[in-house]
Each structure stands twice: as C-alpha cells, then as structure tokens.
Amino acid sequence: MNHIFRVLIFVFFSVSLIAQNESNSPYSRFGLGELQNFSSATQSAMGSVGIASYDPLSININNPSSYSSVFSQRFTMQTGAIHTTKLLQTSTQNQFVNSTNFNYLMFAFPLTKFWGASFGLLPFSEMSYSFSDVSYNPSANFLFEGNGGLTRVYFGNAINLNKNLSIGANLNYLFGNLNSTRKVFFNDVSILNTRINDDLNLKGLYIDAGIMYKVKLGKWNSIVGITFDNGSEISAEKKSLIETFRSGGEFELPEDTISFEKQPEGILELPSSIGFGFALNNANWKILVDYKNINWEEYRLLEESDDLKNSSRFGLGFEFIPDKKSINKYYKMIRYRFGLYDAKTYLSLKNNQLDEKAVTLGVGLPLKRSGSLLNLSAEVGQMGTTDEGLIQETFARFKIGFIFSETWFVKRKYN
C-alpha cells in the first residue's frame, strides 16, 4: 500500500506541473507545429542521445528495445518538467518569450527475466504563435494566431533474445487539436473585420521499433542501436469557420457567419524514419553517439505537403561518475553529463532549411537509501536565421526529472 501511495503522490506532482503556456514560436505555424523531439532530463543533458542507451536506471523511449534492461522485481517511474526561455530576433526587432510545462510521465517494469515493458504520456508537438503583418495591404492589419498540440500515449515491450541481442516496439496513440486563426482588421471602421478559423483534430495509432546489440570491447562495453518507423496513417478531421466581427475593446463581437465547412474525415500521413546509435561505457564513463533521419517529404495532411523537408539530427553525449559505490563522498556518486547536437529541421523557408544547434549539460543526483535519481539539465542553442527576413530563435531549456525505482512484489521476511 505504501508503494501505491508514493506513486499516486508523484503522479499528482507531475500533472500539477502543467502551467500556463506563454510561448510564441512563429515557426510552429507550419506542419504539425514545433516538434518536441522528446528526451528526458537525463538524455537532454547528453545531447538528447538515446538510440544506444541501455540503462536500468533510466526509461529510454527513444529505443524501445531498452525496456528489457529494467531491474528484476523493480518498478520504475520517471517524470519531469521543462522551462524554456527564447529570444526571437529579426534584423530589426527582438522579443523574449517563456513557457513552463509538464514534460513526461513514464513507467517501466519487468514481466520476466528477459522481458520488460513500459508505458507513459509524452508531448509530441506544440502550436503556439501570434504575429501581425501589415505588408499585404496598408488599409488593413493581418493577424495570425495558432494554439494547440499533439500528445503521445505509448505502450512498449522488449525481449532479450540472448545475452547480447534485444528487440522491442512501441504501440503509440497520437491525439490532439491544432487551431489556427487568420484575422483582418480594417482601418475603416465602417467595414466589418473578418476572421477565418481552422480547427484540426487528429487521432490514431502508429508503431516504432528498435534493436540493440551488446558486445565487449576490451575493458569497455559497447552497444549498437537501430530504430525504425515505416510511417503510418492516422485520422484527421478539419472544420473551417469564416465570419465577420466588430472589435469592442478587448472583445470581438461576431456579426455574421459567412461559411462553415466540416470536411469529410481525411488522413495524416506520418513519415518513416531510421536512427543509428553507438555507445561505449565502463565503470566511470559513458560515451554515446546518435544519428537519425526522418523523411518528412512523405508527410501529407489532408493531401497537402506543406513543403516540409527531410530532417536529420546528430548528437554526442558523455556521462562521468567518479565512483558510483562511494559512501562517504557524495560528490563522487554524482553523474556529470554534457553533450551537443546539430539538427536540420523540417522547415525550409526562402530557400533556407533551418538548422538547430545546442550545447548541453546536467547532473544526476542520487537520493541515498533508494534507487532514485534527481536529474537536472540545461540546453543553450539557436534555431533559424535572420537572413531573408526570417526569425532566429536563441533558446535556453531547463529540465528537471525524477526517477523513482523501488523493489515490488517481494514479500518481506522481517518488519
């Protein structure tokens, strides 16, 4: 009963971390919004690597074959939150924006000595933007707004085929709502303003899978990881409303509905992907390298491509533990992490495919007398450019994560 009470407390803590989102990323107007490229606080500190990470103290959704690493007779829960500060810059203007959100909630547990499972709740993408443009017509002001996001629920399994080879897969349910609005405010108050609202609902299943192969290289343990996703089709429904309105201070007063259209159910075609990872580790060091490519040119939403480009990401991460068995010197038990990544996003605007680069660092703080860890990470980087009238985002992301792990289903002989 004590275990159940603790888990409920942490679940409540995780959900309560959801805060008012004040983010404003104009680039989230395209595709499915700003992709989250999920990584836990542990992975974020190491360049967001994970394809070859096989660690019983961390749930690694980036390669589902890692679930078989879960300690026998232990139940693991992992949760966290993220805060992002961005500086949006053009060649003439700049603006700071902030957001704080619940980031993830995951569970993992063994089913047998060779079979592990995991399930959880993760962000997939976020749409959040608001900007105006007066260049179209000097007699009117154009305002573009968007909000919403997609969430991923997964259930995964992994099996050790032998002591070196493991395979695994995630069954994912993707769902959410993306809402975009275009408004025209006329300078002549005798002309009614106009707004067009598009509301998109998405839901459906898709599968991703992974393989890991472990081999000894002298004093080092090495792991090769591969992940793949053949792409999937999920349900998409779109509603469009066009209406006129008058501005009344902070309120918009509807006048007339020009049209309302509910399109027949359509399809979102998700892209295929493949990733490769390599890891080396010993008693003190972990070194991990990742490369992943996603074929976003296959993307179609209601038969529209949005001119997205294939994306790629390279990551490099390190973890150093002076002495994980140290008892009297706590600082020797701390996991010191750092890394970097370089990515090409799926956005290509004015013949520029936008890059994202960052350096990362963090620590893993073990909580004594338990199998738990407090993880902290920071990422500092840039995305985009100010060339050709585009926007450059300079960002700092901070994550806090907690891993709770304790023995379950073992009957105590003594109280």
mmCIF file of all heavy atoms in Angstrom, residues 5 37 92 95 129 158 166 218 233 245 273 283 309 320 357 365 374 380:
data_model
loop_
_atom_site.group_PDB
_atom_site.id
_atom_site.type_symbol
_atom_site.label_atom_id
_atom_site.label_comp_id
_atom_site.label_asym_id
_atom_site.label_seq_id
_atom_site.Cartn_x
_atom_site.Cartn_y
_atom_site.Cartn_z
ATOM 1 N N PHE A 5 0.731 4.491 -2.622
ATOM 2 C CA PHE A 5 0.578 5.855 -2.142
ATOM 3 C C PHE A 5 1.671 6.760 -2.716
ATOM 4 O O PHE A 5 1.411 7.869 -3.166
ATOM 5 C CB PHE A 5 0.619 5.881 -0.615
ATOM 6 C CG PHE A 5 0.537 7.265 -0.031
ATOM 7 C CD1 PHE A 5 -0.664 7.963 -0.027
ATOM 8 C CD2 PHE A 5 1.674 7.882 0.503
ATOM 9 C CE1 PHE A 5 -0.735 9.236 0.505
ATOM 10 C CE2 PHE A 5 1.602 9.151 1.033
ATOM 11 C CZ PHE A 5 0.399 9.830 1.033
ATOM 12 N N ASN A 37 10.736 16.481 -30.217
ATOM 13 C CA ASN A 37 11.956 15.665 -30.256
ATOM 14 C C ASN A 37 12.278 15.155 -28.859
ATOM 15 O O ASN A 37 13.330 15.446 -28.288
ATOM 16 C CB ASN A 37 13.127 16.488 -30.807
ATOM 17 C CG ASN A 37 12.921 16.873 -32.263
ATOM 18 O OD1 ASN A 37 12.571 16.045 -33.088
ATOM 19 N ND2 ASN A 37 13.098 18.146 -32.566
ATOM 20 N N THR A 92 15.616 43.624 -37.275
ATOM 21 C CA THR A 92 15.266 44.927 -36.693
ATOM 22 C C THR A 92 14.588 44.835 -35.330
ATOM 23 O O THR A 92 14.509 45.828 -34.612
ATOM 24 C CB THR A 92 14.332 45.710 -37.641
ATOM 25 O OG1 THR A 92 13.145 44.930 -37.875
ATOM 26 C CG2 THR A 92 15.029 45.993 -38.973
ATOM 27 N N GLN A 95 12.274 39.901 -29.161
ATOM 28 C CA GLN A 95 11.253 39.687 -28.137
ATOM 29 C C GLN A 95 11.606 38.451 -27.318
ATOM 30 O O GLN A 95 12.034 37.433 -27.871
ATOM 31 C CB GLN A 95 9.876 39.497 -28.786
ATOM 32 C CG GLN A 95 8.748 39.197 -27.800
ATOM 33 C CD GLN A 95 7.451 38.829 -28.492
ATOM 34 O OE1 GLN A 95 7.396 38.716 -29.712
ATOM 35 N NE2 GLN A 95 6.397 38.633 -27.708
ATOM 36 N N TYR A 129 1.595 30.496 -31.601
ATOM 37 C CA TYR A 129 2.151 31.668 -32.276
ATOM 38 C C TYR A 129 1.102 32.774 -32.349
ATOM 39 O O TYR A 129 -0.107 32.530 -32.297
ATOM 40 C CB TYR A 129 2.652 31.318 -33.679
ATOM 41 C CG TYR A 129 1.580 30.849 -34.639
ATOM 42 C CD1 TYR A 129 0.839 31.755 -35.399
ATOM 43 C CD2 TYR A 129 1.308 29.496 -34.801
ATOM 44 C CE1 TYR A 129 -0.141 31.330 -36.285
ATOM 45 C CE2 TYR A 129 0.335 29.052 -35.683
ATOM 46 C CZ TYR A 129 -0.388 29.977 -36.425
ATOM 47 O OH TYR A 129 -1.364 29.552 -37.296
ATOM 48 N N ALA A 158 9.909 -5.122 -24.683
ATOM 49 C CA ALA A 158 11.222 -5.507 -25.193
ATOM 50 C C ALA A 158 11.584 -6.883 -24.664
ATOM 51 O O ALA A 158 11.261 -7.230 -23.520
ATOM 52 C CB ALA A 158 12.283 -4.494 -24.774
ATOM 53 N N SER A 166 18.709 -7.607 -28.044
ATOM 54 C CA SER A 166 17.355 -7.307 -27.573
ATOM 55 C C SER A 166 16.577 -6.593 -28.670
ATOM 56 O O SER A 166 17.142 -5.844 -29.477
ATOM 57 C CB SER A 166 17.384 -6.449 -26.308
ATOM 58 O OG SER A 166 17.989 -5.194 -26.557
ATOM 59 N N GLY A 218 37.386 -5.062 -25.047
ATOM 60 C CA GLY A 218 38.409 -4.867 -24.033
ATOM 61 C C GLY A 218 37.788 -4.585 -22.680
ATOM 62 O O GLY A 218 36.964 -5.356 -22.185
ATOM 63 N N GLU A 233 -0.645 6.058 -41.094
ATOM 64 C CA GLU A 233 -1.752 6.939 -41.420
ATOM 65 C C GLU A 233 -2.696 7.016 -40.226
ATOM 66 O O GLU A 233 -3.081 5.990 -39.673
ATOM 67 C CB GLU A 233 -2.520 6.431 -42.643
ATOM 68 C CG GLU A 233 -1.697 6.435 -43.925
ATOM 69 C CD GLU A 233 -2.510 5.986 -45.130
ATOM 70 O OE1 GLU A 233 -3.655 5.516 -44.923
ATOM 71 O OE2 GLU A 233 -2.009 6.110 -46.256
ATOM 72 N N PHE A 245 -16.789 40.279 -37.804
ATOM 73 C CA PHE A 245 -16.912 40.695 -36.412
ATOM 74 C C PHE A 245 -16.519 42.162 -36.264
ATOM 75 O O PHE A 245 -15.865 42.747 -37.133
ATOM 76 C CB PHE A 245 -16.046 39.824 -35.510
ATOM 77 C CG PHE A 245 -14.559 40.002 -35.715
ATOM 78 C CD1 PHE A 245 -13.823 40.864 -34.906
ATOM 79 C CD2 PHE A 245 -13.893 39.316 -36.724
ATOM 80 C CE1 PHE A 245 -12.460 41.036 -35.089
ATOM 81 C CE2 PHE A 245 -12.532 39.473 -36.909
ATOM 82 C CZ PHE A 245 -11.808 40.336 -36.096
ATOM 83 N N SER A 273 11.148 6.787 -40.622
ATOM 84 C CA SER A 273 12.399 7.276 -40.031
ATOM 85 C C SER A 273 13.321 6.110 -39.752
ATOM 86 O O SER A 273 12.884 4.958 -39.635
ATOM 87 C CB SER A 273 12.126 8.052 -38.737
ATOM 88 O OG SER A 273 11.631 7.185 -37.730
ATOM 89 N N ALA A 283 33.095 1.571 -15.910
ATOM 90 C CA ALA A 283 32.661 1.885 -14.545
ATOM 91 C C ALA A 283 32.510 3.386 -14.314
ATOM 92 O O ALA A 283 31.753 3.801 -13.431
ATOM 93 C CB ALA A 283 33.653 1.307 -13.538
ATOM 94 N N LYS A 309 10.715 19.409 -45.462
ATOM 95 C CA LYS A 309 11.926 18.746 -45.928
ATOM 96 C C LYS A 309 12.336 17.639 -44.955
ATOM 97 O O LYS A 309 11.991 17.669 -43.779
ATOM 98 C CB LYS A 309 13.067 19.759 -46.062
ATOM 99 C CG LYS A 309 12.778 20.909 -47.024
ATOM 100 C CD LYS A 309 12.525 20.392 -48.443
ATOM 101 C CE LYS A 309 12.242 21.541 -49.390
ATOM 102 N NZ LYS A 309 11.939 21.055 -50.773
ATOM 103 N N PHE A 320 29.987 11.074 -16.758
ATOM 104 C CA PHE A 320 31.134 10.677 -15.935
ATOM 105 C C PHE A 320 30.683 10.522 -14.496
ATOM 106 O O PHE A 320 30.037 11.415 -13.928
ATOM 107 C CB PHE A 320 32.249 11.719 -16.023
ATOM 108 C CG PHE A 320 33.410 11.433 -15.113
ATOM 109 C CD1 PHE A 320 34.237 10.327 -15.323
ATOM 110 C CD2 PHE A 320 33.675 12.263 -14.024
ATOM 111 C CE1 PHE A 320 35.303 10.064 -14.474
ATOM 112 C CE2 PHE A 320 34.742 12.001 -13.172
ATOM 113 C CZ PHE A 320 35.556 10.896 -13.397
ATOM 114 N N LYS A 357 21.041 24.066 -33.318
ATOM 115 C CA LYS A 357 22.270 23.597 -32.689
ATOM 116 C C LYS A 357 22.238 23.970 -31.216
ATOM 117 O O LYS A 357 21.706 25.018 -30.839
ATOM 118 C CB LYS A 357 23.500 24.232 -33.346
ATOM 119 C CG LYS A 357 23.618 23.954 -34.836
ATOM 120 C CD LYS A 357 24.840 24.640 -35.439
ATOM 121 C CE LYS A 357 24.937 24.363 -36.939
ATOM 122 N NZ LYS A 357 26.117 25.008 -37.559
ATOM 123 N N LEU A 365 21.595 13.359 -9.596
ATOM 124 C CA LEU A 365 21.848 13.378 -8.158
ATOM 125 C C LEU A 365 21.166 12.181 -7.503
ATOM 126 O O LEU A 365 19.928 12.142 -7.405
ATOM 127 C CB LEU A 365 21.317 14.684 -7.548
ATOM 128 C CG LEU A 365 21.857 15.976 -8.177
ATOM 129 C CD1 LEU A 365 21.144 17.188 -7.589
ATOM 130 C CD2 LEU A 365 23.359 16.096 -7.969
ATOM 131 N N LEU A 374 17.535 12.370 -8.970
ATOM 132 C CA LEU A 374 17.045 13.681 -9.367
ATOM 133 C C LEU A 374 17.942 14.160 -10.490
ATOM 134 O O LEU A 374 19.164 14.273 -10.314
ATOM 135 C CB LEU A 374 17.092 14.654 -8.191
ATOM 136 C CG LEU A 374 16.729 16.110 -8.503
ATOM 137 C CD1 LEU A 374 15.277 16.221 -8.951
ATOM 138 C CD2 LEU A 374 16.985 17.003 -7.290
ATOM 139 N N VAL A 380 21.467 25.170 -24.315
ATOM 140 C CA VAL A 380 21.570 26.529 -24.832
ATOM 141 C C VAL A 380 21.903 26.437 -26.310
ATOM 142 O O VAL A 380 22.878 25.770 -26.688
ATOM 143 C CB VAL A 380 22.646 27.342 -24.094
ATOM 144 C CG1 VAL A 380 22.742 28.750 -24.676
ATOM 145 C CG2 VAL A 380 22.357 27.399 -22.603
#
